[in-house]
Amino acid sequence: MTIFAAYLYCSRKTMALHIITSVQEMHNYASVLRADGKTIGFVPTMGYLHEGHAALIRHSCLKADITVVSVFVNPTQFGPNEDFLRYPRDFERDCHIAENAGALVMYAPSVEEMYPSGYSSMVLAGKESQVFDGIARPGHFNGVVTVVTKLFNAVKPHFAVFGQKDYQQTLVVKRLVMDLNFDIQIIIAPTEREPNGLARSSRNVYLSEHDRENAAMIYKALTAAADARHQGEKNAHMLQTIMQNILMTIPHVHIEYAQTAHAETLTEIIDFDDDDSIVFLVAIRLGTTRLIDNLIWHP
Ligand code: AMP
């Protein structure tokens, strides 16, 4: 066992969260773990952790010897008029939540560490990125796959856990891993919700108490459309109208999209077949806050 590995196991015993901020240290640490035959599970996040993130971490800990959580608010996935600067941050709290959920390593590089002067390469997201959020947020998914690639290269995980909450992102990341031959399993964990059905999100902190109650209508819209499909409705326009009618009851709402698509390919279909899996997708704005959610219906 190397000195480095001995230190590692020592810190494991005390269960102290090990914080890594440099790419090089993350490389070294991951290489030691791999050389010692340890399974690395990875949960990439932008921080301001909540119960949804904690569930992903716990999921990883069930399978991995070491779970690495990353906290990095990635500037390349934000548009010029988006909330990069005001995105909520609380690193100390993140460390507590990650540690309590079972993570052993917190990887938190700075923007300068990830994108040093002279940085100029980007990864291009695949076809699943060209609809829905890919249209609403130009360049967003290229930023996502670029940072995911960089994080995968540094953390060297055996598997990574992503949330269904960002459904299109899960398909884009699966495509990335398949197309670029990453030897990493992608696991999708279910969406954690507040008691009223609102999907947990770091951005919920922007919402007033009143907005939070109103935003619960998103889940009502998704479940109403899924119920209608269950009762035999197969026409996409009808299913979308059900969602829109419910979403329009939210005061001051701006509906970006309330759409249906084939769950595996994200292709839009006019009339679904009996055996089509469907994803219901919603993006709305409440004031300056953008909220997304989705529900999958299987035959
Ligand atoms: P974020 O920090 O928002 O970039 O999210 C990091 C990871 O946590 C992504 O894989 C998200 O899909 C996942 N995530 C965010 N919110 C939830 C939630 N409510 N339930 C499950 N996973 C979530």
Side-chain angles (χ1 to χ4, degrees), residues 33-225:
L33 291 174
R34 278 196 163 248
D36 284 343
K38 299 296 169 198
T39 307
I40 305 174
F42 180 38
V43 180
T45 83
M46 295 204 301
Y48 211 71
L49 301 187
H50 51 69
E51 187 48 38
H53 298 113
L56 304 191
I57 297 167
R58 286 194 294 270
H59 199 101
S60 169
C61 292
L62 291 177
K63 283 183 55 139
D65 295 313
I66 305 278
T67 291
V68 179
V69 175
S70 67
V71 165
F72 181 64
V73 186
N74 174 38
T76 65
Q77 71 188 69
F78 286 77
N81 298 318
E82 294 185 353
D83 56 344
F84 173 69
L85 287 175
R86 75 170 182 135
Y87 196 85
R89 293 160 168 90
D90 188 340
F91 186 61
E92 208 173 314
R93 182 169 158 276
D94 287 345
C95 288
H96 281 299
I97 293 174
E99 189 170 11
N100 285 339
L104 290 179
V105 178
M106 170 66 84
Y107 179 41
S110 64
V111 171
E112 295 70 31
E113 180 73 7
M114 289 291 270
Y115 300 109
S117 157
Y119 183 91
S120 52
S121 302
M122 288 291 282
V123 181
L124 218 53
K127 60 183 175 184
E128 290 79 4
S129 73
Q130 282 157 18
V131 286
F132 304 119
D133 274 8
I135 295 169
R137 306 182 66 188
H140 167 69
F141 285 117
N142 290 341
V144 169
V145 292
T146 298
V147 80
V148 165
T149 298
K150 289 168 68 63
L151 291 168
F152 281 178
N153 282 337
V155 175
K156 310 185 210 313
H158 295 84
F159 67 87
V161 189
F162 288 82
Q164 190 201 308
K165 159 79 170 47
D166 298 277
Y167 186 69
Q168 189 175 3
Q169 174 174 276
T170 66
L171 296 188
V172 168
V173 169
K174 279 182 178 173
R175 166 68 54 194
L176 169 81
V177 164
M178 204 172 8
D179 287 356
L180 300 194
N181 309 125
F182 282 101
D183 186 17
I184 297 172
Q185 185 195 359
I186 301 301
I187 296 171
I188 312 302
T191 302
E192 294 289 319
R193 300 180 179 281
E194 296 187 4
N196 68 5
L198 174 64
R200 294 187 189 277
S201 165
S202 306
R203 288 190 169 99
N204 289 354
V205 74
Y206 299 146
L207 299 174
S208 66
E209 206 49 49
H210 200 56
D211 283 343
R212 269 184 194 232
E213 280 312 310
N214 288 329
M217 297 308 275
I218 300 171
Y219 189 54
K220 291 214 168 67
L222 293 167
T223 48

Side-chain angles (χ1 to χ4, degrees), residues 244-266:
Q244 270 158 9
N245 286 342
I246 295 174
L247 293 171
M248 279 187 312
T249 65
I250 303 175
H252 311 297
V253 72
H254 170 74
I255 303 172
E256 265 185 24
Y257 58 77
Q259 298 270 1
T260 50
H262 193 282
E264 275 118 55
T265 58
L266 280 193

